[in-house]
Amino acid sequence: MEYALFYTQGADPQPYDPALDDIAEWDADGIARGVLEYGERLRPEHDATTVRVRGGELLIADGPFSEAKEAIGGFDVIDVPSLDEAIEIASRHPVARFGEVEIRPFWRGEGGVVADGDRLVPDGFDAEPKPGRSRYLLLVVADPNGEDVDESPEAWVAETGANGERLFGNRLQAPDATTRVMLRGGELVVSDGPLTEAKEWIAGLDLLDTAGLADAVSIAARHPMARAGTIELRPLWPLDVHADHAERTRREAAESAQRTEPRLTTGPGASAPRAEVWR
């Protein structure tokens, strides 16, 4: 069964110690066991862009849909026989020691776009984007303040897949199927429910491959959930698991407070509704 693992600071963050970051061992174990399909870190929440369409108007905002402590820092897709094994894998991830890991099963059957028995991440998937292309994790967020939209995303999936803009993705099961994992003082702490207490929650994810943020926003604006909910776009921030974590931490701390993505002030395309920037 495939699960998405989301990594966050959580409500009880602990100091990060680069000396205890054994992500290389975790990654190697997942590959050796054949359970790790794909995963990446995400650029900091400063580089997040949220997209909504309300009344035909495109609304773009800098930042993630949730509070900073709940912002997702990375994700993995794993395929394991049971939730118990997913919890065991999540508990050994370095983030479990200083943050939290949210485990969410993917939806299967009607309502999802991946058939039973098919892998979410295509076989032979190229983890590296081509020169001049950028990848974004598109998070589909349920929002009770969204419009009533009775439209399946199947047409959006077919169009973006045919254009080579959507690499893979699927709907996630509801928040009540969520498990949260963290380690505190060497003790495994497991609880039910999503990381966010708000009514907004992640309903699905897609990986996009585009020429930049403007194209990603245009694609997101066409998703039905841009009207019924919120779309969060997060650029990827690949991790070299063999890098010096202490040096990487110092280097990234200097740049993590600055937004590197462009600030969109006009519509992403002639076919898109008029754009407005939230500040």
Side-chain angles (χ1 to χ4, degrees), residues 3 5 7 23 26-27 31 35-42 73-78 93 121 125 127-128 135 137 168 207 236-241:
Y3 294 88
L5 305 183
Y7 307 106
I23 184 62
W26 185 90
D27 190 72
I31 294 173
V35 301
L36 184 59
E37 293 192 8
Y38 179 72
E40 293 284 6
R41 284 193 313 156
L42 304 176
F75 73 102
D76 281 292
V77 176
I78 61 173
H93 194 283
V121 181
F125 176 73
E128 297 296 329
R135 288 186 177 171
L137 182 67
F168 62 80
L207 187 66
L236 303 188
W237 202 7
L239 170 68
D240 180 355
V241 297

Side-chain angles (χ1 to χ4, degrees), residues 1-3 33 35 78-87 89:
M1 188 170 184
E2 289 169 305
Y3 294 88
R33 293 162 63 169
V35 301
I78 61 173
D79 186 5
V80 293
S82 67
L83 176 60
D84 287 344
E85 186 166 348
I87 292 173
I89 291 172

Side-chain angles (χ1 to χ4, degrees), residues 53 88 136 254 265:
V53 175
E88 185 264 330
Y136 294 86
T265 56

